[in-house]
C-alpha cells in the first residue's frame, strides 16, 4: 500500500512558491506521484506518494536531495505532522 505524505516547502523572500513546487516535482524520481495542493505567500504544500514500501527516512532523503539542487537553493521542506494537515480531500488522505 502506498502512503501519501504532505510536504510544505517554504522560503523567506519574494520567491514564487508555485515555481518551486513545479521544480521539486520535476526533480522527484519518475515513479513517484506528486501533486500541488496549495500555495500561500512564501510556501507551497504538496502531496507526495513514493513507491510502496518507502520509509519516511527515504522520503526525507529524496526531498532533501531535490531541495539541495541549485534551482531550489534557499527552499526548506518538512513533512507535515498529522495535526498540521488541512483537509485536502479524500483523495490525499493516506
Amino acid at each position: 500500500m502506498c502512503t501519501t505524505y504532505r510536504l510544505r516547502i517554504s522560503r523567506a523572500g519574494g520567491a514564487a512558491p508555485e515555481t518551486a513546487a513545479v521544480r521539486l516535482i520535476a526533480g522527484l524520481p519518475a515513479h513517484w506521484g506528486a501533486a500541488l495542493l496549495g500555495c500561500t505567500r512564501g510556501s507551497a504544500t504538496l502531496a507526495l506518494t513514493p513507491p510502496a514500501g518507502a520509509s519516511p527516512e527515504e522520503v526525507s532523503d529524496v526531498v532533501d536531495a531535490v531541495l539541495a539542487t541549485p534551482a531550489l537553493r534557499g527552499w526548506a521542506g518538512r513533512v507535515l505532522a498529522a495535526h498540521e494537515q488541512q483537509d485536502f480531500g479524500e483523495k490525499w488522505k493516506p
Side-chain angles (χ1 to χ4, degrees), residues 44-89:
T45 304
L46 300 98
L48 304 180
T49 307
S55 70
E57 293 79 19
E58 291 170 312
V59 172
S60 292
D61 289 346
V62 168
V63 169
D64 289 346
V66 175
L67 289 173
T69 62
L72 289 166
R73 186 169 293 132
W75 286 90
R78 68 183 180 87
V79 174
L80 299 178
H83 71 278
E84 298 175 290
Q85 297 184 22
Q86 299 172 357
D87 182 9
F88 291 107

Side-chain angles (χ1 to χ4, degrees), residues 27-50:
L28 294 172
H31 54 283
W32 282 46
L36 177 60
L37 299 175
C39 292
T40 63
R41 193 171 196 174
S43 73
T45 304
L46 300 98
L48 304 180
T49 307

